[in-house]
Amino acid sequence: MPSIILYFSRAGENYVCGAIRNLSKGNTEVAAEILQNLTGADLFQIKPMVSYSEDYSQCIEQAKNDQKRDARPELAAYPQHLEQYDTIYLGYPKMEQGYICV
């Protein structure tokens, strides 16, 4: 019963506990790795062809604009042969009141 975890995560400037902090690894990536340890699933990181801004505030504005436009940015790569997986987990940041929360 093979599984895969597809996830989008953002390292660098992030909103954490009321302040902007630099993270070496994004929260969703950390969660994906925990899930991988629990399930043994394969991992695939979703990355956009054009990266979001390194600046947290600008990134949030870009993400809000994408949501308003119902945009689907082109991806840098796509997972191969998803039909071989019985279970697909999808991890992504949740936009809430202008902040990325996981």
Side-chain angles (χ1 to χ4, degrees):
M1 190 191 301
S3 302
I4 188 169
I5 302 161
L6 309 175
Y7 70 95
F8 177 81
S9 191
R10 183 175 185 280
E13 282 190 3
N14 277 278
Y15 184 80
V16 180
C17 300
I20 302 294
R21 303 199 193 285
N22 269 316
L23 302 179
S24 60
K25 192 179 284 192
N27 294 325
T28 308
E29 183 173 3
V30 171
E33 290 174 349
I34 291 169
L35 183 58
Q36 181 190 37
N37 287 334
L38 293 171
T39 65
D42 294 336
L43 277 178
F44 181 86
Q45 185 172 9
I46 299 167
K47 295 180 183 181
M49 183 74 72
V50 177
S51 297
Y52 286 94
S53 174
E54 295 288 324
D55 178 88
Y56 178 78
S57 297
Q58 288 178 9
C59 174
I60 292 302
E61 287 307 310
Q62 288 173 299
K64 284 181 183 180
N65 288 334
D66 280 353
Q67 283 185 329
K68 286 178 189 172
R69 295 182 300 113
D70 200 26
R72 300 294 183 262
E74 182 70 23
L75 301 182
Y78 292 84
Q80 300 295 311
H81 309 293
L82 288 177
E83 69 277 358
Q84 71 181 335
Y85 295 102
D86 294 322
T87 304
I88 299 173
Y89 300 95
L90 181 60
Y92 54 92
K94 178 182 176 192
M95 292 293 297
E96 190 173 292
Q97 297 177 349
Y99 301 115
I100 295 178
C101 304
V102 217

